[in-house]
Amino acid sequence: MALVPTTASNDASQLIAEVDMGSDSSVLTVRATVVQASTIFYDTPATLGPEVDRLAAMAGKYRVHLVMGVIERDGYTLYCTILFFDPQGRYLGKHRKLMPTALERLIWGFGDGSTIPVFETSIGKIGAAICWENRMPLLRTALYAKGIEIYCAPTADSRDTWQASMTHIALEGGCFVLSANQFCRRKDYPPPPEYVFSGTEEELSPDSVVCAGGSAIISPSGTILAGPNYDGEALISADLDLGEIIRAKFDFDVVGHYARPEVLSLVVRDHPATPVTFTSTSTKAEDSCKK
């Protein structure tokens, strides 16, 4: 997913454009693009090369805020992760999926509260949640409390029910939702027996669609601005009027005037949940605070 201020010019080569302020000089319009495409399975170098460095270089080259899903390795554990980059090509941080979905739990590790960021940028506050963790109301509430304005939701779910969830999140959070899914055919995956679609492999031809996309962009009022696209690989783009966020929050602010903290509250443990803590490290940190 890529985001950049929109242009008032017809010059397609202009990457950083004059911002459309409208009637409120504090509000800008952002051009958002969701990339709906297949990866090259089992071949990361062919897909990207040195992953983080090349992603950062892309963000810097095209001067966009880039939000990208990856598989992260930390030691001997894998995590389903989202990386964030700014238009200067700098890595901002990451979100690790809190709850791997279904059989993913056999492979991927679990994220913790230390990687639920919302980054304040020149085009708004950007954060993300991955696939079915978007159904976790307390996680969404944590993102809303951090002021998320551009909510990125990469997924592998192309069903109609996913679209309903995305519309609900946009309305609930008073934010723009950018949902990205891959569009893949059977031929995009390695052939059997290396890779098998259990229970359906016999019915598939090389051109059979195995992940239908459905990427979309939705406004804080629940209006679908672009997509959902089920036709193939595509760029799904829309202009985001950030003034809509203010209007949506006036009606409903789930962590503001519509909250009832004396009845309902949420505690987020946002420190790293590490299995081993070394007392020497803790002692050094305490000593430095005393100086």
Side-chain angles (χ1 to χ4, degrees), residues 5-274:
T6 59
T7 178
S9 166
N10 292 324
D11 182 1
S13 66
Q14 187 175 358
L15 293 175
I16 288 296
E18 182 179 347
V19 175
D20 177 12
M21 295 298 186
S23 59
D24 186 343
S25 61
S26 66
V27 176
L28 54 78
T29 300
V30 174
R31 167 57 60 94
T33 298
V34 173
V35 179
Q36 177 169 291
S38 175
T39 188
I40 301 175
F41 291 91
Y42 294 170
D43 197 342
T44 298
T47 301
L48 198 63
E51 297 87 346
V52 175
D53 290 344
R54 287 199 63 187
L55 288 169
M58 290 177 195
K61 177 180 179 180
Y62 296 106
R63 300 169 75 180
V64 295
H65 289 272
L66 179 63
V67 182
M68 181 74 182
V70 300
I71 301 303
E72 174 197 6
R73 187 180 71 180
D74 186 358
Y76 296 97
T77 300
L78 300 177
Y79 295 91
C80 192
T81 298
I82 296 174
L83 304 180
F84 300 82
F85 302 89
D86 73 7
Q88 285 71 49
R90 295 177 298 202
Y91 166 73
L92 297 178
K94 66 187 176 186
H95 164 61
R96 284 178 173 172
K97 191 175 184 181
L98 281 180
M99 176 55 68
T101 302
L103 292 178
E104 290 176 0
R105 296 172 204 172
L106 300 178
I107 302 172
W108 279 286
F110 294 67
D112 60 37
S114 67
T115 61
I116 313 176
V118 170
F119 297 100
E120 187 158 2
T121 76
S122 60
I123 60 169
K125 296 179 180 178
I126 303 173
I130 303 169
C131 202
W132 282 10
E133 69 173 354
N134 283 281
R135 297 180 176 183
M136 299 169 67
L138 300 185
L139 172 59
R140 298 199 307 267
T141 302
L143 291 171
Y144 302 152
K146 291 187 174 185
I148 191 168
E149 296 173 320
I150 300 173
Y151 185 120
C152 300
T155 188
D157 192 337
S158 60
R159 299 173 300 168
D160 291 341
T161 51
W162 178 259
Q163 299 300 327
S165 294
M166 295 300 97
T167 300
H168 171 78
I169 290 170
L171 283 167
E172 179 182 67
C175 54
F176 288 95
V177 172
L178 280 59
S179 175
N181 192 11
Q182 297 181 99
F183 182 91
C184 306
R185 299 184 187 275
R186 178 63 186 91
K187 63 186 178 184
D188 295 321
Y189 291 77
E194 186 178 358
Y195 197 103
V196 175
F197 286 83
S198 179
T200 62
E201 185 64 50
E202 299 77 12
E203 306 166 9
L204 298 175
S205 72
D207 288 321
S208 295
V209 175
V210 293
C211 191
S215 300
I217 300 175
I218 304 169
S219 80
S221 65
T223 302
I224 298 175
L225 301 178
N229 185 301
Y230 298 101
D231 297 328
E233 293 192 345
L235 299 179
I236 295 94
S237 299
D239 290 334
L240 315 184
D241 174 7
L242 298 191
E244 283 196 51
I245 294 173
I246 300 169
R247 295 187 285 273
K249 298 287 191 183
F250 182 80
D251 284 341
F252 181 86
D253 186 353
V254 69
V255 290
H257 61 80
Y258 240 87
R260 289 293 305 278
E262 74 281 15
V263 180
L264 305 167
S265 62
L266 170 66
V267 176
V268 180
R269 296 173 180 85
D270 59 0
H271 58 277
T274 55

